[in-house]
């Protein structure tokens, strides 16, 4: 929808036919057909399928084509993709849209551009995603930062929902909730409405998630110890330091 709003001509293929209707959109039955003649090819696949999909479509693209990947975890996939795309003579643009499909406005949408050559990759990104709020992130930094922005957020809300469920139903909780606790429930519901396969990859496929989980468990353990010892002064000191 974004590219159609920018007056691009868009071709696409999917296992399930889209309901998008536009004179500038054409649906194809296969990836190989959809990418022919394209200036940009966006891979919007499950992370596990990204490398396979790239190998499938690259031989069908023109030499000047730019392959765009949008994985939430770059890890070992991005270096492999760079090799595959480079050997084919095409260009690779690695981005991470920092929003979900429910985004209501494309104005200043936030996108991380994962770079090795910042100047050239940012230039391509600005041409493709005009008007977006683009943040350059070095390739080796992306997953570490996403362990904090994604993995920790998902983990907290997953544990929160599991804890609530042991004591109270969501409807009863809503009747008793404060504004802040209702907001936390809404965040947890937002996380739990997502694809568990994608979220399992974000947690387990990101090598930095383990460090973040360990740190989080240490902090929770410290709070648990303080509460069990009934040490209010220590709790207040912990609170203040946070």
């Amino acid at each position: 929808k974004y590219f159609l709003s920018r007056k691009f001509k868009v071709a696409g293929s999917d296992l399930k036919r889209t309901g998008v209707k536009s004179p500038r959109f054409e649906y194809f039955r296969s990836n190989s057909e959809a990418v022919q003649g394209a200036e940009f090819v966006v891979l919007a696949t499950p992370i596990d399928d990204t490398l396979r999909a790239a190998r499938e479509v690259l031989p069908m693209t023109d030499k000047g084509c730019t392959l765009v990947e949008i994985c939430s975890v770059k890890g070992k996939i991005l270096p492999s993709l760079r090799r595959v795309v480079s050997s084919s003579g095409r260009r690779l643009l690695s981005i991470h849209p920092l929003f979900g499909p429910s985004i209501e406005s494309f104005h200043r949408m936030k996108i991380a551009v994962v770079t090795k050559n910042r100047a050239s990759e940012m230039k391509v990104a600005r041409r493709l995603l005009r008007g977006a709020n683009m943040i350059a992130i070095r390739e080796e930094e992306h997953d570490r930062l996403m362990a904090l922005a994604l993995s920790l957020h998902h983990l907290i809300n997953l544990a929160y929902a599991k804890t609530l469920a042991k004591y109270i139903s969501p409807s009863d909780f809503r009747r008793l909730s404060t504004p802040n606790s209702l907001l936390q429930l809404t965040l947890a519901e937002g996380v739990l409405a997502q694809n568990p396969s994608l979220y399992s990859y974000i947690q387990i496929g990101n090598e930095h998630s383990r460090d973040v989980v360990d740190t989080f468990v240490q902090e929770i353990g410290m709070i648990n110890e303080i509460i069990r010892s009934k040490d209010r002064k220590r709790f207040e000191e912990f609170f203040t330091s946070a």
Side-chain angles (χ1 to χ4, degrees), residues 145-166:
L145 295 171
M146 288 307 113
L148 299 170
L150 292 180
S151 301
L152 181 59
H153 170 66
H154 299 167
L155 172 73
I156 289 169
N157 284 286
L158 186 59
Y160 178 79
K162 289 285 285 183
T163 302
L164 277 186
K166 292 181 186 298

Side-chain angles (χ1 to χ4, degrees), residues 41-45 49-51 53-55 57 67-71 81:
V41 172
V42 181
L43 294 181
T45 64
D49 283 335
T50 300
L51 200 56
R55 288 191 174 112
V57 302
L67 192 76
V68 184
E69 70 85 16
I70 63 171
C71 292
L81 262 181

Side-chain angles (χ1 to χ4, degrees), residues 161-176:
K162 289 285 285 183
T163 302
L164 277 186
K166 292 181 186 298
Y167 293 96
I168 193 170
S169 70
S171 57
D172 285 341
F173 182 78
R174 282 192 188 88
R175 289 192 301 112
L176 300 167

Side-chain angles (χ1 to χ4, degrees), residues 67-101:
L67 192 76
V68 184
E69 70 85 16
I70 63 171
C71 292
S72 303
V73 178
K74 306 301 182 184
K76 297 174 182 176
I77 292 173
L78 186 51
S80 298
L81 262 181
R82 287 200 189 279
R83 286 193 296 273
V84 169
V85 175
S86 177
S87 65
S88 74
R90 277 65 169 174
R91 290 187 301 187
L92 177 69
L93 178 64
S94 175
I95 64 173
H96 183 175
L98 301 174
F99 54 86

Side-chain angles (χ1 to χ4, degrees), residues 2-219:
Y2 166 75
F3 292 118
L4 288 172
S5 76
R6 287 274 321 279
K7 311 301 182 188
F8 278 76
K9 183 180 177 184
V10 181
S13 72
D14 203 339
L15 296 175
K16 184 177 180 181
R17 185 161 185 154
T18 176
V20 174
K21 290 184 173 67
S22 168
R24 293 191 309 282
F25 177 78
E26 190 171 2
Y27 174 83
F28 288 89
R29 292 185 176 276
S30 73
N31 295 336
S32 298
E33 290 177 292
V35 302
Q36 292 182 28
E39 186 178 359
F40 294 96
V41 172
V42 181
L43 294 181
T45 64
I47 298 173
D48 288 337
D49 283 335
T50 300
L51 200 56
R52 180 201 58 76
R55 288 191 174 112
E56 176 192 355
V57 302
L58 280 169
M60 310 306 296
T61 60
D62 295 339
K63 279 288 185 184
C65 173
T66 297
L67 192 76
V68 184
E69 70 85 16
I70 63 171
C71 292
S72 303
V73 178
K74 306 301 182 184
K76 297 174 182 176
I77 292 173
L78 186 51
S80 298
L81 262 181
R82 287 200 189 279
R83 286 193 296 273
V84 169
V85 175
S86 177
S87 65
S88 74
R90 277 65 169 174
R91 290 187 301 187
L92 177 69
L93 178 64
S94 175
I95 64 173
H96 183 175
L98 301 174
F99 54 86
S102 60
I103 185 173
E104 294 181 358
S105 171
F106 298 132
H107 178 66
R108 299 292 291 165
M109 56 188 181
K110 190 187 291 187
I111 297 175
V113 181
V114 184
T115 67
K116 274 185 91 71
N117 184 334
R118 176 168 176 161
S120 65
E121 289 169 338
M122 288 298 286
K123 183 179 178 181
V124 175
R126 288 192 182 99
R127 181 160 166 258
L128 179 65
L129 301 158
R130 191 175 303 151
N133 174 17
M134 284 181 282
I135 303 152
I137 299 179
R138 287 183 292 119
E139 186 174 320
E140 59 272 21
E141 284 287 284
H142 175 271
D143 285 7
R144 184 182 67 81
L145 295 171
M146 288 307 113
L148 299 170
L150 292 180
S151 301
L152 181 59
H153 170 66
H154 299 167
L155 172 73
I156 289 169
N157 284 286
L158 186 59
Y160 178 79
K162 289 285 285 183
T163 302
L164 277 186
K166 292 181 186 298
Y167 293 96
I168 193 170
S169 70
S171 57
D172 285 341
F173 182 78
R174 282 192 188 88
R175 289 192 301 112
L176 300 167
S177 63
T178 65
N180 281 348
S181 62
L182 184 60
L183 177 59
Q184 188 64 59
L185 180 64
T186 302
L187 289 172
E189 288 175 334
V191 167
L192 293 172
Q194 303 306 313
N195 185 318
S197 177
L198 171 62
Y199 276 35
S200 72
Y201 200 105
I202 288 172
Q203 290 291 346
I204 297 166
N206 187 341
E207 295 290 331
H208 298 274
S209 291
R210 287 185 288 251
D211 292 337
V212 170
V213 170
D214 286 344
T215 301
F216 180 69
V217 169
Q218 288 170 13
E219 297 298 335

